[in-house]
Each structure stands twice: as structure tokens, then as C-alpha cells.
Amino acid sequence: MLTNFRAISLSYKSANLQIREEIALTDDQSKQFLFTSKDVLGLQELLVLSTCNRTEVYYSANEDLTIEIVKLLCYVKGLQNAEKFIPYFKVINNQDEAVNHLFRVSIGLESQVVGDLQITSQVKQAYQWSADEQLAGPFLHRLLHTTFYTNKKVVQETNFRDGAASVSYATVELIENLCEDKVNPKVLILGLGQIGKDLAENLKGTTFSEIHLANRTTSKAKELAEAYSHQYLPYDEVLSSINKFDVIVSAIQAETPFFILSNFPEKGFLTYKYMIDLAVPRSIDPKLEQLPGVVVYNIDQIQNKANAALELRIKSIPSVEKLIEDSISEFNNWSQETIMSPTINKLKNALEQIRTDELTRYAKQLNEHESKMVDLITKNIMQKVIKLPVLQLKAACKRGEAESLIELLSDLFDLEKDKVSQ
């Protein structure tokens, strides 16, 4: 029986921020999930993608493993009530729909900020983890490389990637709007993972001159501060320096909030202090908004500020979808042909065995020249005989009828027996 490619998806479309941050996996947890799933479920192809907006699992299996996979996600997260999360997952058991969903996610059509530039690198990282665990078989290898190639075509042939309408760029736009009346505003970025790094890079081209970077890894903060002409702030001085900054952006990865009420003066602030939380789970306690002068934005509240870029991207969506459609069609042709390849090889082997058996029977009756001529003639005959079944198989693949024709050819030429005899 052929295995089916499937997916389950929990995203901003189906779950609020609180649910998403409960189930979101860190890098180490993603790797642990892959290892555990391979051991417990015996899967051979598996991809886990966990970002601030989605946690998704793609896998190949003969049966729906949604419940088992969600339980394993909860096990890795240390959560007891897996039943609570199951309703938030969209289950995709149709292979064509699962493939299409992965394409749309990888390109950025399903991102909260349409065309998010980060998602492609996040998918590539997820793919690398699967490959490291030997969980990327031929199907997944081909599928992901096809999505990466399609993304390049999208960049080259459409306006979908024009501008920088990612979460980080949307944050830049928000910061610019919040600080338009401030003289020389001071901004702190805490956490220099992909989002924090992108934000630091995007802020380089703005008029802000007082941008500080802080990170658990000192060397990374110093390196990026130098690269983007920002300033470095030691990680252990962040909490004591809160009062210095007009805007604090937190993209730090932690299980509990880094910024809490006890870090702030009880009386709040005379001027607005803007706290922007780009982390999942949240790193800024929402209760901070109880303090005078403190305004907290979480990742769900970040609005797309790149209106011009967004309009171009939206207009480009039909072109992007056409590229995806063409790529999926080519991928499906390849996928179907891999199904028929073993049968074609068996058929060739069966005919070749008949040919060589007959040549052996008459070998003593032929001289060297005659043997060569008969060998050449019979090879040409065999190639012509097999040509039509191969063409019929390819046509059947495109119609989705390959399995029935494979079964018919196997019966006609006793190919299963051929397999056993080998």
C-alpha cells in the first residue's frame, strides 16, 4: 500500500496567541519531537515547523496519526491535556491538499504578514533537522527542494517579494509611527534570533541613531551591533536600563515572561514607554499595561505597516499561485512516476529474461556474426514492445490511475513472481 503525505496545522488562523505559545516548540524541542516521533511512531518522513504563528507537522503514513502526534507534541512540551489542543489543529489527510499547504506556507501565502521573508529560512531549518534525523525520504527531499526552487521563481518573476513586509519590517513601521514626535528616541532590541536579527538589520536604514542590542550570547550582540552600526547593551544590564528606552522590543525565547511587573516602578512613567513583544511564548507580561505610561503590543497586534509592499504582494498572488500550481503539477508527475518505476523495471527484467533465455537456446546454431545481429535485433524489438506499456503507465499516472494498470501488468507478466525469483 502506498503511504499518504499528511499534515496537521495549528496557526494564527485557528488559535489565539495563548494557545499558540503553549504549543510552540523551541529549537531543541523540535529536534526532540523528531527523535521521539521516529522512535515511537516509526515514521520515515517527518517535518515539524514551529514559528510564532504556527506549529505544523507534515508526515507520510498509511493512517491518520493526528491524536498520536498531538500527544507527542504535548509530551515534549510537558503538557498533560492533549485533548485541549486537538480541536485547534487543522487536519489535512489528502496528499494533494497537504502538498499544496506546504507550498503556500513555504512561499509566504499563509503568513500573517503576507510574503513574510522569514518563513522560507524557517522551513529550510526544519528540513535540515529532518535530514539530520534521517526523516527526509525521497518524497520529502524532492518536495522541499521544489518549494525552494519555486520560491526563487517567485522572487525573479513576480513582485511578491518586493519590499520587506515581514514581522520585523512591520515592527519597524510601528516603531516609526510611535516615535514620530520624539526627538532622538532610544530603542532596545532584546533577543537576536532570526526576528531580532532581521529587525536590527531593517532599523539600520532608518533615522534612529540610538538603537541598542542585547542578547544572552554576548558575542552575537557585539557582532551584530558592529555590523549594523548599533550599540551593545550587556544582557545583565537590561532590566536596570529599562528607564533609558522609549521602545523596548523583546524577541527573546523563554518559557516565562522576561519583563514582569516587579521590574518596573509602581508609579509607571510620565511619558509613554512602548513594549513590543515578538516572542512566542510571550516574553512581556501583558499585565504591564496596568502601569501608567506603559503600552504593550504583542505579535498578534502588530499590523502590517508596509502598505505599498503589501498591495504589490496581494496583486501578485494570482501569479504566485500559478507558479505553485505549475510546480505542484511537475512534482506530482515525478511522484507518480516513482510509483511506476519499479513496475517498469520488473517488466524490462521479465522481457530481458525471456530474450536471453531464447538466445541461449539457439546460441550453438549461430556463428559470432549471426549472434551479434540476433542480439541487436531482439533488443530493438524489446524496446519497441515495452514502449507502449511505459507510455500507458505515464498517461495513467497523470490520470491518477497508475495503481490499477500496475496491477494489470503485474498479473499479465507475473511480475510479483519475477520479484520473488530475484
Side-chain angles (χ1 to χ4, degrees):
M1 182 183 293
L2 301 174
T3 57
N4 192 35
F5 187 66
R6 308 166 188 267
I8 62 171
S9 171
L10 181 150
S11 72
Y12 70 95
K13 293 183 177 181
S14 62
N16 60 31
L17 179 59
Q18 181 178 349
I19 294 295
R20 298 204 312 274
E21 64 186 359
E22 282 189 74
I23 208 73
L25 301 173
T26 64
D27 292 354
D28 288 340
Q29 289 170 341
S30 294
K31 296 174 186 176
Q32 183 187 351
F33 171 79
L34 288 171
F35 176 80
T36 305
S37 297
K38 181 180 181 180
D39 185 47
V40 174
L41 300 178
L43 296 173
Q44 295 184 339
E45 293 199 308
L46 178 66
L47 180 82
V48 58
L49 176 65
S50 191
T51 72
C52 57
N53 283 326
R54 65 184 64 251
T55 295
E56 299 184 333
V57 178
Y58 299 85
Y59 65 101
S60 293
N62 290 327
E63 56 184 331
D64 181 357
L65 298 177
T66 299
I67 295 175
E68 292 84 350
I69 288 174
V70 175
K71 285 182 177 179
L72 282 174
L73 285 170
C74 290
Y75 168 76
V76 170
K77 290 293 296 182
L79 302 170
Q80 301 298 322
N81 52 341
E83 293 78 12
K84 166 186 173 183
F85 299 98
I86 291 175
Y88 293 99
F89 279 89
K90 177 183 179 182
V91 179
I92 309 174
N93 280 323
N94 179 277
Q95 177 164 299
D96 291 340
E97 293 177 9
V99 166
N100 184 62
H101 183 74
L102 180 54
F103 264 91
R104 293 181 63 86
V105 168
S106 300
I107 300 300
L109 285 172
E110 298 295 321
S111 298
Q112 193 168 25
V113 178
V114 177
D116 190 351
L117 296 175
Q118 298 169 36
I119 190 64
T120 300
S121 61
Q122 290 166 335
V123 172
K124 286 182 178 178
Q125 180 64 79
Y127 169 51
Q128 184 62 57
W129 291 334
S130 292
D132 291 343
E133 288 293 337
Q134 304 298 311
L135 283 168
F139 183 92
L140 201 55
H141 274 302
R142 182 73 176 229
L143 175 57
L144 286 165
H145 280 288
T146 305
T147 66
F148 301 149
Y149 173 72
T150 306
N151 183 63
K152 288 183 179 180
K153 293 188 70 175
V154 167
V155 173
Q156 294 168 354
E157 299 178 19
T158 75
N159 294 319
F160 190 68
R161 292 295 190 192
D162 289 359
S166 65
V167 169
S168 60
Y169 187 79
T171 304
V172 172
E173 293 285 330
L174 176 61
I175 293 172
E176 289 177 333
N177 289 340
L178 294 175
C179 297
E180 60 183 358
D181 296 328
K182 291 184 177 291
V183 178
N184 195 28
K186 295 178 175 59
V187 179
L188 169 66
I189 302 173
L190 173 63
L192 297 171
Q194 191 62 52
I195 291 179
K197 178 177 177 294
D198 287 348
L199 179 59
E201 182 176 5
N202 289 337
L203 280 169
K204 178 183 178 181
T206 64
T207 57
F208 296 106
S209 59
E210 290 279 345
I211 299 171
H212 292 70
L213 306 183
N215 194 59
R216 287 193 184 98
T217 305
T218 300
S219 58
K220 187 172 186 178
K222 287 183 175 179
E223 179 184 344
L224 292 179
E226 181 178 355
Y228 300 137
S229 301
H230 299 326
Q231 300 177 45
Y232 161 71
L233 179 70
Y235 180 79
D236 57 8
E237 294 181 18
V238 169
L239 294 178
S240 61
S241 304
I242 289 174
N243 197 49
K244 298 178 182 178
F245 298 99
D246 300 289
V247 179
I248 297 175
V249 183
S250 179
I252 192 171
Q253 195 176 72
E255 291 295 327
T256 57
F258 180 87
F259 294 101
I260 57 178
L261 278 171
S262 60
N263 302 145
F264 290 72
E266 294 182 4
K267 294 182 179 180
F269 303 92
L270 295 177
T271 59
Y272 281 116
K273 188 168 298 294
Y274 301 105
M275 308 285 295
I276 302 175
D277 195 347
L278 301 183
V280 177
R282 280 175 283 194
S283 58
I284 299 174
D285 190 341
K287 294 178 182 177
L288 284 173
E289 279 205 307
Q290 299 173 7
L291 298 176
V294 177
V295 180
V296 178
Y297 294 86
N298 64 43
I299 201 163
D300 280 356
Q301 296 169 318
I302 301 292
Q303 299 299 317
N304 190 347
K305 302 297 181 181
N307 293 325
L310 182 59
E311 287 178 10
L312 283 175
R313 292 177 182 208
I314 291 174
K315 290 178 181 178
S316 299
I317 287 177
S319 299
V320 174
E321 291 179 329
K322 181 62 170 61
L323 288 173
I324 291 176
E325 181 183 343
D326 292 343
S327 293
I328 289 177
S329 178
E330 292 177 11
F331 173 77
N332 285 339
N333 287 341
W334 169 86
S335 179
Q336 291 293 335
E337 287 183 11
T338 60
I339 296 172
M340 72 178 186
S341 292
T343 299
I344 292 174
N345 289 332
K346 289 177 189 177
L347 181 57
K348 287 180 178 179
N349 291 337
L351 293 177
E352 176 64 16
Q353 188 64 50
I354 293 171
R355 190 185 75 87
T356 54
D357 287 348
E358 290 303 302
L359 285 176
T360 302
R361 283 180 61 191
Y362 296 100
K364 294 181 179 179
Q365 303 176 32
L366 303 172
N367 59 40
E368 184 178 351
H369 174 71
E370 290 171 335
S371 292
K372 289 182 178 179
M373 289 300 297
V374 171
D375 183 60
L376 178 61
I377 291 169
T378 53
K379 279 183 178 178
N380 289 338
I381 291 172
M382 191 185 80
Q383 289 175 357
K384 290 182 178 179
V385 167
I386 203 171
K387 182 177 180 180
L388 183 59
V390 170
L391 291 175
Q392 291 290 348
L393 268 175
K394 289 184 176 181
C397 284
K398 292 181 179 180
R399 298 193 305 267
E401 301 171 359
E403 287 187 77
S404 59
L405 189 53
I406 287 172
E407 185 176 350
L408 177 61
L409 286 172
S410 296
D411 290 341
L412 284 174
F413 292 92
D414 205 6
L415 298 182
E416 290 305 314
K417 181 180 178 180
D418 177 66
K419 178 180 177 182
V420 172
S421 65
Q422 292 177 18

